[in-house]
Amino acid sequence: MTDTTPLFSVPARGVGLIEFNRPTGANRIEVSDLRVLHDLISAWESDQQAHVLIFAARGRHFCSGFDLRALLAEARSGEGGAADGSGGFETLANRIEGTRLITIAAIGGPVMGGGTDLALACDFRLGTPRAYMQMPAAQFGLPLYSGALQRYVSRLGLNWAKYLILSASRANADEMVQMGFLGRLVEADDLNDECLRLATELASMPGKPMSAMKQGLNAAAVGNGNSDCIRKLLGGAFDGNIISSRIARARTNRSNQRRGYHD
């Protein structure tokens, strides 16, 4: 462990928080961080009370992606040339996309390179007016890995994906909202509170159906949403007892509200 190791905390019941912790290096992800991040995600997934995971960052940047020095070392040694560090960074992004947890990216500043893919792998993305994004891989002659290409297209659409990746253009916060990269903008001082409010609301819902629907939506984005495995997953998340109790609770709450009572 070092003083730049990603940090983990539990700010609310059922809500985990991972913070990138290399502010003087634009919160780039180094090789040593990959295992730490996988371990943090695994540990939180294994907690049956865990439903939501927020990704945030210390300092001005959200994340600048994978350490390019590791890629250069691979290329010079003749061991690689992939844009994800022998699959490690892509595997991390795929892991974030595929986790049963509902994920939120709190983007308070610039997000660059592979950091944009980590954000796109999350289910929700909130940002501030200070945020901007750029994918500079084309400028460096660096072929972007396939998982990132798929997420860019499935989240933003083909036209935006081509514009951002092939021209390496920078997009400001308003453009990030317009293209769907950010769900909404909040003031910088409110970002953490807004992400925690959303996370707490999500964590209050039954986790298994939420996770199943997340997997179904992600599959639908790439044309696999009607597959047998997704149908089985959704069917397995159906629990009549939970549904009945939640409906009864909602009716009771509505009745109390009409009478002027509150929980």
Side-chain angles (χ1 to χ4, degrees):
M1 303 287 286
T2 71
D3 59 0
T4 59
T5 299
L7 304 173
F8 179 80
S9 60
V10 181
R13 182 178 181 181
V15 179
L17 170 65
I18 290 177
E19 295 177 278
F20 302 127
N21 189 34
R22 190 169 282 107
T24 59
N27 285 315
R28 67 178 179 270
I29 304 298
E30 297 188 355
V31 174
S32 59
D33 297 324
L34 296 174
R35 176 47 52 196
V36 173
L37 289 166
H38 276 291
D39 288 346
L40 291 176
I41 295 170
S42 293
W44 190 232
E45 282 177 330
S46 68
D47 187 332
Q48 294 307 304
Q49 302 304 311
H51 296 309
V52 182
L53 180 59
I54 301 171
F55 289 90
R58 298 284 178 95
R60 193 172 74 87
H61 290 75
F62 174 73
C63 181
S64 58
F66 192 63
D67 186 1
L68 292 180
R69 294 171 299 182
L71 299 181
L72 291 174
E74 280 189 358
R76 289 168 180 162
S77 68
E79 296 178 357
D84 58 356
S86 293
F89 192 84
E90 181 176 11
T91 299
L92 175 64
N94 291 346
R95 174 73 182 283
I96 293 171
E97 179 181 38
T99 179
R100 71 166 181 83
L101 304 166
I102 306 301
T103 51
I104 302 170
I107 303 174
V111 54
M112 313 288 288
T116 63
D117 187 39
L118 293 188
L120 288 172
C122 291
D123 302 309
F124 296 88
R125 292 171 295 280
L126 276 63
T128 74
R130 295 195 302 231
Y132 65 81
M133 63 159 295
Q134 186 176 19
M135 171 52 77
Q139 290 180 339
F140 306 143
L142 187 64
L144 193 56
Y145 54 89
S146 61
L149 297 178
Q150 180 169 280
R151 274 181 283 274
Y152 261 81
V153 172
S154 64
R155 272 58 166 178
L156 308 179
L158 181 59
N159 290 338
W160 271 114
K162 285 184 175 179
Y163 175 73
L164 293 166
I165 292 172
L166 300 182
S167 73
S169 295
R170 177 184 294 190
N172 62 31
D174 289 334
E175 290 170 324
M176 292 166 75
V177 173
Q178 179 185 351
M179 71 179 70
F181 191 101
L182 292 177
R184 64 189 180 96
L185 290 179
V186 299
E187 293 302 320
D189 291 342
D190 298 331
L191 179 62
N192 292 339
D193 288 343
E194 284 298 303
C195 286
L196 185 57
R197 183 198 62 76
L198 173 60
T200 302
E201 181 179 347
L202 292 167
S204 72
M205 302 178 190
K208 191 172 182 180
M210 289 275 283
S211 178
M213 288 189 288
K214 164 185 169 166
Q215 303 302 325
L217 288 165
N218 283 346
V222 294
N224 294 326
N226 202 32
S227 65
D228 290 342
C229 64
I230 293 298
R231 287 175 175 272
K232 183 177 180 180
L233 182 67
L234 292 167
F238 187 95
D239 188 320
N241 291 329
I242 290 178
I243 296 169
S244 297
S245 66
R246 300 282 293 196
I247 291 174
R249 185 188 308 172
R251 287 174 175 169
T252 299
N253 289 341
R254 286 197 298 270
S255 177
N256 288 339
Q257 288 171 1
R258 285 195 296 269
R259 296 173 183 176
Y261 300 135
H262 301 280
D263 288 340

